[in-house]
Amino acid sequence: MARWGRTGWRRALAAVAAAALATPVAAQSYRDRLPQDEVIYFLLPDRFDNGDKSNDRGGLNGDRLVTGFDPTDKGFYHGGDLKGLLRRLDYIQALGATAVWVGPIFRNKPVQGPAGHESAGYHGYWITDFEHVDPHFGIDADFKTLVDAAHARGIKVYMDIIVNHTADVIRYAECDDCAYRSRADYPYTRKGGVTGPAINAGFAGDAVVTAANFAKLTDPRYAYTPFVPKGGEHAKSPEWLNDPIFYHNRGNSTFSGESSTTGDFFGLDDLMTENPRVVSGMIDIFGGWIDRFGIDGFRIDTARHVNPEFWQAFIPAMQARARARNIPNFHIFGEVHDSSPAALARFTRVDAYPAVLDFGLRQAVVDTVAGTRGTDVFETLFAADALYGGGPDTPLQLPTFTGNHDDGRFATEVRRAFPKAGDEEVMARVMLADAMLMTLRGVPTIYAGDEQGFVGDGGDQDAREDMFPSRVPSYNDNRLIGTATTTATAHFGRDNPLFRQIATLARLRLSTPALTRGRQVMRAREEKPGLLAISRFDPTTGQEVLVAFNTATTALDRQVEIGTDGAVATLAGAGCATKPSAPGSLRVRLAPLGYAVCRIGAAR
């Protein structure tokens, strides 16, 4: 294996930073920016910063099983809140982010789970009150202050929302952990199975999504006998959410077949999103957040577990609500946890989604930079861009990422795949992945902590470390990259090489239309670790920008096809010759795990 010098990437980064900082970003109203013009920063409020210790227990009294607060346990509230996020907007802006995606802030069931296996709703996905901020995070006025302050800086605010399910409040008389019961075996018109007594006379099934049809669905006891335990009759808000008739009540999803959209998500109450009353109710709820706070977009959780007809009504309604509020570029993207471009594209063609999170690109980067597959996987990935509704232009607004709060951090993937790699190699691989994220098509999304070299132990709770000083032992024993510190100390500094690289590339991206809105042309790829080269073109001027990456641990020296002649300027990284070797061909020499971003010729 070729060695890269300990200070080589540091010198290169410093040079790139100086060049980028000399290039001003054009002033622009934040409302005018298209979704693809953004760099997104994603965070869970509970794990970001604690600006108000008085709300750590959410106004509740008792132990952690009542309040949900235990900063020493990775599965409970740690104290982060909206005031903490507010006071860190300068940090987010310094990183180069132009939009902040805030994990769900709605009031949650504080604690749920079987005895001995309880955890808290710190993540925000167990909603009871869809209309107000969870007291652990503050009050509605705190969110208004945050949004207004972000907008004053030109930073957009995206909310993370859920319509598939609520917190686990409804119980079944027959069992605690209930298996899924299908529509064939347990039809809506029989109580407890096909041989049971008749109920819901005239109901034509949940595929007939009309108010007249659903008016005939009055008895929810077709599969199980759902009930709300005493004391929980009014646990949810708005009040209509407390009626079991608005839920599927069929037991736990197997995440396949019909249960994918009609089963309970790990026991959470699964809303019957086919019912027109649920559709109109959810439109009222989330349209209200647009009206009250002027937010700029929604990331929608568990999108694949909701029927298409719901999205076909809900998404246009949200876009219309935003336009009425003078928000013309409202960014909506769904979480469809699948790396297949065909599966992802379906949601833009059938379900009316403008965009989905690009799990396909994430997998390609993991396979090549945190793995050993050839760079030809990117050719396969990008060739499928034509599948999306709207064609190849649609993937320009797909949020791209290399790791997140569910799947884990990219640095964790590197450490897992290359357990014998030293810190220099791990750093080089993470920087290469960041360079891909910031220069390829899509909307780069940074998960809080990645810029500080966080390396978790896995996914889910193991990837949800605190940015403020942590008291969780399994977080604090992690070996971070780019720093000798641990998560036991606050990480809002700006000296980690990863922070500096992302800030530099973000500024470059935002000042280079070819990188935000430009089409891509594949120039080179290999069936083994090595060269990936792609040209991107300014949609207005035709300016060509070549991005080249070396996923191998040996240096490479290659000729790469280009479409423009003239002088070549290196914008980031290193390796492009200063002029073409011949018309249509440029020499590229990349260090092991190196990259280069180069402008070719003059704008046409």
Side-chain angles (χ1 to χ4, degrees), residues 202-324:
F203 182 62
D206 57 23
V208 182
V209 290
T210 65
N213 181 49
F214 274 88
K216 300 171 184 176
L217 181 68
T218 59
D219 191 333
R221 296 175 296 171
Y222 35 83
Y224 289 104
T225 306
F227 71 96
V228 177
K230 184 175 177 57
E233 296 88 348
H234 303 286
K236 299 177 186 178
S237 181
E239 184 61 31
W240 64 266
L241 287 167
N242 293 299
D243 190 339
I245 201 65
F246 295 122
Y247 299 83
H248 285 117
N249 303 312
R250 290 189 172 276
N252 289 328
S253 176
T254 66
F255 303 104
S256 62
E258 71 174 62
S259 82
S260 182
T261 57
T262 58
D264 293 343
F265 193 87
F266 296 108
L268 298 168
D269 299 349
D270 195 72
L271 279 157
M272 186 174 278
T273 46
E274 298 86 354
N275 191 321
R277 178 65 183 91
V278 175
V279 177
S280 63
M282 286 295 168
I283 288 174
D284 287 344
I285 287 168
F286 293 113
W289 286 90
I290 296 173
D291 292 344
R292 286 189 289 155
F293 300 98
I295 54 172
D296 306 283
F298 288 146
R299 178 267 193 186
I300 303 180
D301 182 66
T302 51
R304 71 184 306 168
H305 301 302
V306 175
N307 58 303
E309 295 82 3
F310 177 90
W311 300 128
Q312 291 163 8
F314 179 83
I315 291 173
M318 294 301 98
Q319 292 170 324
R321 202 72 163 254
R323 286 193 297 271

Side-chain angles (χ1 to χ4, degrees), residues 36-95:
Q36 52 264 46
D37 295 335
E38 313 299 342
V39 172
I40 302 171
Y41 188 74
F42 166 51
L43 59 92
L44 294 176
D46 180 65
R47 303 302 165 89
F48 193 62
D49 195 22
N50 190 345
D52 184 357
K53 293 185 181 297
S54 70
N55 61 29
D56 288 356
R57 291 171 173 77
L60 303 170
N61 296 314
D63 64 14
R64 73 177 197 157
L65 296 184
V66 175
T67 68
F69 179 68
D70 182 353
T72 68
D73 191 312
K74 64 184 179 181
F76 283 74
Y77 285 96
H78 291 176
D81 50 38
L82 294 175
K83 288 183 178 178
L85 173 53
L86 175 66
R87 73 181 184 184
R88 299 296 182 181
L89 287 178
D90 61 337
Y91 169 84
I92 294 171
Q93 191 165 40
L95 183 63

Side-chain angles (χ1 to χ4, degrees), residues 55 60 95 161 180 201-202 252 264 285 294 305 331 362 376 402 449 473 484 523 537 543 549 555:
N55 61 29
L60 303 170
L95 183 63
I161 70 169
Y180 184 76
N252 289 328
D264 293 343
I285 287 168
H305 301 302
H331 196 183
R362 190 254 179 184
D376 57 324
T402 60
R523 295 301 192 187
F537 294 89
Q543 177 76 66
F549 313 95

